């Protein structure tokens, strides 16, 4: 009984940490324009729209976050093996991962922008200085929270995977949650405010991204303000629920039917979410779409 | 059928870059193996040099492959390379029981065979019909195997299977805390796979220059080596780990500064807190 209570407590804590991680991850990638609007950021100077938006193309978010979280887990594991206190070990791992993230971010910005010299797009060093540090801070929060979730799974719940392998699984899940959930709430709506809502990006408007703002010329640091309200919390809820349900079903139902209980409950959770998703989709279509001709 | 688009004109042709990268990688791995054979582990840092050599080669291959317009496939190419390279690495390291000297060459040959097979599947069975596909995937698998082996050498100081699958704790051989058993190989995998695709992905565009992209490949290699050097404190002697760490830091810092200088050379303008003006206005 006590084991189950501790398990549930850890499940709740891990879910909360994951929610923080998801929110920070999405804010990080949106400030750095790493998500899907990045192709438009890359395209804009070629269409004659020079801009001050950070062009951070390390890779898609899932592989990038797999790297940061896995290497933080690996370094944390190494420090644990060397007898360092767990919290310090996780912090050392996260600091190194954040350092690597910052280096990759700056090289991606400098490389891509320099390759656009033909179109007169300058490299803005003040953008590099201000935006990189802000994305690194958000990456630190996201990585630290996720590595802590992995550590809790390994030690308290006794997950059979080694720490770096848990890092690969949950880093990938974190990046996927931020990319799939966060971006639809942000990118196109913030970056394409020049376009009519719901218009998508017609070819004639390619590269016509938002470049001016109320306080001088915009750098994408302001996207954090927008994302923190919508995309971040959505990603946080998504990743938090993934971690919470994953642990909850395992801890409560693993003893039933020789382990199959947890599998069946997992399948049931998926079915319930499919029904909810379908309901939300139909509701949204009825209220907001389809995009018919105005009467 | 894809159409080839030239990314940029290279000063050094691909075959030459390939030869240089392969030679740097293999020679460095053999120097590291000499260290293992004579019983010292402070030559482990040559594994990092091997990874850098392999990344220079792989980066040129990715550039060649991606001139056929598979833009979003650039990160996937890194993952594919290391996935197929991993098979070759594990197979080859098991051959160390026979003779440790054949491991790097065996990894190269096995990876080329695995890669040729995968390339044939993607080109002929999946019908992608890109002329350089089969050769490029074979090359990428070889690059993956060599880079993974190099990073593994930095961490553990050896290329043999027993070396990466066991660790001595209080005189007992343990699997769970070894390079393979603790999943540290996952860190090498991700570090290598992202480092392989990043240089070309980050520098793509009409103004891409070969020397700048290569400098970024070197920078990514040393950056990955820093992390493996930190992890190596668990596996190798203190002196060896410190040597790897210092070499990695110096290599990274020098290449990073040079890369920033090359970016400054190629950029349209280098502005610090100055407003921009639109071309058409």
């Amino acid at each position: 009984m006590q084991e189950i209570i501790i398990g549930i407590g850890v499940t709740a804590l891990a879910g909360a940490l994951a929610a923080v991680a998801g929110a920070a991850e999405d804010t990080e990638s949106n400030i750095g324009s790493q998500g899907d609007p990045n192709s438009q950021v890359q395209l804009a100077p070629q269409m004659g729209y020079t801009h001050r938006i950070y062009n951070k193309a390390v890779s898609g978010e899932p592989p990038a976050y797999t790297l940061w979280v896995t290497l933080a887990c690996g370094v944390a594991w190494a420090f644990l093996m060397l007898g360092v206190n767990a919290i310090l070990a996780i912090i050392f791992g996260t600091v190194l991962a954040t350092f690597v993230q910052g280096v990759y971010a700056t090289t991606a910005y400098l490389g891509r922008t320099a390759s656009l010299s033909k179109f007169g797009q300058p490299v803005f060093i003040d953008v590099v200085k201000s935006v990189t540090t802000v994305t690194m801070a958000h990456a630190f929060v996201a990585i630290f929270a996720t590595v802590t979730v992995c550590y809790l799974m390994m030690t308290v719940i006794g997950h059979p995977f080694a720490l770096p392998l848990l890092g690969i699984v949950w880093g990938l899940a974190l990046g996927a949650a931020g990319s799939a959930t966060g971006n639809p709430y942000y990118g196109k709506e913030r970056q394409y405010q020049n376009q009519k809502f719901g218009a998508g990006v017609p070819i004639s408007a390619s590269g016509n991204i938002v470049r001016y703002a109320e306080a001088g010329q915009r750098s994408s640091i302001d996207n954090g303000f927008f994302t923190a309200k919508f995309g971040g919390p959505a990603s946080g809820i998504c990743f938090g629920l993934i971690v919470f349900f994953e642990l909850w079903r395992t801890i409560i139902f693993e003893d039933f039917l020789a382990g199959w209980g947890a599998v069946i409950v997992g399948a049931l959770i998926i079915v319930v979410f499919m029904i909810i998703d379908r309901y939300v989709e139909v509701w949204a279509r009825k209220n907001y779409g389809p995009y018919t001709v105005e009467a | 059928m894809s159409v080839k688009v030239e990314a940029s004109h290279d000063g050094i042709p691909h075959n030459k870059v390939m030869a240089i990268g392969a030679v740097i990688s293999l020679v460095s791995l053999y120097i590291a193996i000499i260290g293992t054979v004579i019983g010292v582990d402070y030559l482990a840092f040559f594994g990092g040099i091997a990874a850098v050599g392999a990344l220079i080669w792989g980066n040129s291959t990715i550039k060649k492959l991606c001139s056929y317009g598979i833009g979003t496939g650039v990160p996937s190419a890194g993952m594919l390379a290391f996935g197929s390279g991993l098979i070759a690495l594990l197979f080859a390291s098991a051959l160390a029981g026979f003779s440790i000297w054949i491991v790097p060459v065996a990894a190269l040959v096995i990876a080329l065979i695995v890669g040729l097979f995968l390339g044939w599947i993607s080109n002929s069975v999946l019908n992608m019909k890109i002329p350089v596909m089969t050769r490029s995937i074979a090359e990428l698998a070889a690059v993956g195997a060599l880079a993974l082996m190099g990073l593994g050498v930095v961490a553990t100081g050896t290329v043999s299977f027993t070396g990466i699958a066991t660790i001595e704790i209080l005189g007992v051989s343990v699997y769970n805390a070894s390079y393979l058993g603790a999943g540290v190989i996952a860190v090498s995998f991700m570090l290598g796979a992202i480092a392989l695709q990043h240089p070309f992905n980050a520098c793509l565009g009409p103004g891409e220059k070969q020397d700048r992209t290569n400098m970024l490949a070197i920078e990514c290699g040393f950056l990955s080596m820093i992390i493996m050097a930190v992890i190596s404190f668990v596996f190798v002697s203190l002196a060896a780990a410190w040597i790897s760490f210092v070499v990695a830091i110096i290599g990274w810092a020098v290449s990073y500064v040079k890369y920033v200088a090359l970016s400054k050379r190629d950029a349209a303008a280098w502005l610090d807190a100055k407003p921009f003006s639109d071309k058409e206005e």
Side-chain angles (χ1 to χ4, degrees):
Chain A
M1 191 62 203
Q2 198 189 2
E3 260 178 39
I4 291 186
I5 290 171
I6 290 174
I8 289 292
V10 169
T11 304
L13 180 59
L17 281 166
V20 174
E25 191 276 347
D26 194 49
T27 313
E28 187 271 333
S29 78
N30 288 347
I31 291 174
S33 304
Q34 194 176 4
D36 59 340
N38 185 272
S39 55
Q40 292 290 320
V41 174
Q42 166 84 357
L43 189 63
Q46 312 191 24
M47 307 303 288
Y49 304 110
T50 43
H51 60 77
R52 282 166 57 81
I53 291 178
Y54 205 85
N55 186 354
K56 188 182 76 168
V58 178
S59 74
E61 285 171 59
Y65 266 88
T66 311
L67 172 60
W68 322 141
V69 174
T70 308
L71 85 84
C73 281
V75 173
W77 173 85
F79 278 105
L80 285 171
M81 288 291 286
L82 296 170
V84 173
N85 166 301
I87 293 173
L88 266 182
I90 294 172
I91 288 175
F92 286 149
T94 311
V95 166
L96 271 175
T98 310
F99 165 72
V100 172
Q101 184 264 354
V103 171
Y104 268 102
T106 52
T107 53
Y109 176 80
L110 293 178
R112 283 223 161 168
T113 313
S115 290
L116 289 171
S117 56
K118 211 182 218 178
F119 308 106
Q121 168 70 39
V123 169
F124 289 106
I125 290 303
D126 64 308
V127 170
V128 174
K129 283 184 217 156
S130 56
V131 178
T132 309
T133 41
V134 175
T135 69
M136 283 172 78
H138 283 88
F140 183 92
V141 175
I143 298 166
F144 179 80
T146 314
V147 175
T148 309
V149 169
C150 295
Y151 178 77
L152 285 175
M153 282 185 195
M154 185 186 78
T155 50
V156 186
I157 299 175
H159 198 289
F161 278 19
L163 193 55
L165 292 180
L166 283 171
I168 251 188
V169 173
W170 291 109
L172 191 59
L174 171 64
S179 182
T181 314
N183 290 356
Y185 275 85
Y186 132 86
K188 289 163 186 123
E189 307 316 332
R190 182 66 199 87
Q191 217 127 289
Y192 307 147
Q193 277 187 357
N194 297 337
Q195 308 304 319
K196 208 169 178 182
F197 179 75
V201 192
I203 291 176
S204 60
S206 282
N208 186 10
I209 48 179
V210 169
R211 302 175 300 145
Y212 298 97
E214 49 292 344
Q217 284 158 318
R218 187 177 283 284
S219 83
S220 43
I221 212 163
D222 295 346
N223 286 345
F225 153 77
F226 189 80
T227 296
K229 281 201 287 193
F230 304 108
S235 307
I237 289 170
C238 173
F239 188 55
L241 283 179
I242 293 172
V243 170
F244 178 80
F245 279 121
E246 162 63 24
L247 294 183
W248 176 78
R249 75 184 171 92
T250 314
I251 285 168
I252 304 287
F253 299 101
E254 203 180 18
D255 297 338
F256 294 90
L257 304 171
W260 283 97
V263 177
I264 294 166
V265 172
L268 280 177
I269 291 173
I270 292 173
V271 170
V272 168
F273 270 94
M274 278 170 71
I275 294 167
I276 295 173
D277 290 347
R278 180 70 191 154
Y279 175 79
V280 171
E281 190 195 338
V282 170
W283 178 83
R285 270 174 196 275
K286 259 188 202 154
N287 285 281
Y288 301 110
Y291 307 115
T292 48
V293 183
E294 278 179 49
Chain B
M1 185 70 192
S2 306
V3 180
K4 191 180 182 197
V5 183
E6 280 300 331
S8 68
H9 294 288
D10 291 343
I12 312 168
H14 171 68
N15 284 343
K16 201 172 171 188
V17 177
M18 177 175 94
I20 294 170
V23 167
I24 293 176
S25 190
L26 284 173
V27 169
S28 307
L29 284 172
Y30 275 108
I31 294 174
I33 289 178
I34 291 173
T36 319
V37 170
I38 62 173
V40 292
D41 58 2
Y42 49 75
L43 293 177
F45 73 89
F46 273 98
I49 315 284
V52 170
L55 289 174
I56 294 173
W57 167 12
N59 200 54
S60 181
T61 308
I62 284 193
K63 187 169 156 185
K64 204 166 161 233
L65 178 62
C66 294
S67 61
Y68 287 86
I70 48 170
T72 50
V74 179
S76 328
M79 298 293 155
L80 176 68
F82 275 74
S84 35
L86 185 61
I87 301 169
L89 171 88
L90 291 177
F91 200 146
S93 65
L95 294 175
F98 178 63
S99 161
I100 199 166
W101 296 102
I102 61 169
V103 174
V105 173
L108 186 67
V109 173
I110 297 165
L112 284 172
I113 294 169
V114 172
L116 280 175
F117 182 64
L118 289 174
W120 174 76
I121 289 179
S122 30
N123 223 22
S124 303
V125 180
L126 299 176
N127 233 359
M128 290 170 89
K129 291 204 172 125
I130 294 172
V132 295
M133 187 70 144
T134 313
R135 183 187 158 179
S136 296
I137 291 193
E139 282 182 28
L140 285 175
V143 166
L146 290 178
L148 209 47
M149 189 174 279
L151 293 174
V153 168
V154 175
T156 64
T158 178
V159 295
S160 73
F161 190 77
T162 41
I164 58 176
T166 51
I167 184 173
E168 294 272 323
I169 295 179
L170 302 172
V172 185
S173 267
V174 184
Y175 169 74
N176 279 346
S178 68
Y179 178 69
L180 281 185
V184 180
I185 196 163
V187 183
S188 307
F189 182 97
M190 286 313 300
L191 278 172
I194 297 284
L196 176 57
Q197 60 82 32
H198 182 67
F200 178 68
N201 194 35
C203 291
L204 62 83
E208 193 259 355
K209 293 265 166 48
Q210 192 187 29
D211 58 345
R212 180 158 53 95
T213 310
N214 280 343
M215 191 51 71
L216 186 51
I218 295 168
E219 189 265 345
C220 286
F222 279 115
L223 184 64
S224 305
M225 188 181 165
I226 294 177
I227 305 300
M228 294 322 287
V230 171
I231 291 177
S232 77
F233 278 95
V234 177
F235 298 104
V236 298
S237 66
L238 206 57
W242 273 112
I243 291 172
S244 295
F245 186 68
V246 171
V247 169
I249 291 275
I250 293 172
W252 171 78
V254 170
S255 54
Y256 188 76
V257 169
K258 282 197 173 158
Y259 172 75
V260 173
L262 289 174
S263 300
K264 194 168 181 176
R265 179 198 71 187
D266 293 341
W270 193 264
L271 305 178
D272 196 352
K274 283 177 194 156
F276 66 88
S277 60
D278 281 343
K279 268 173 126 185
E280 80 271 32
E281 282 165 13

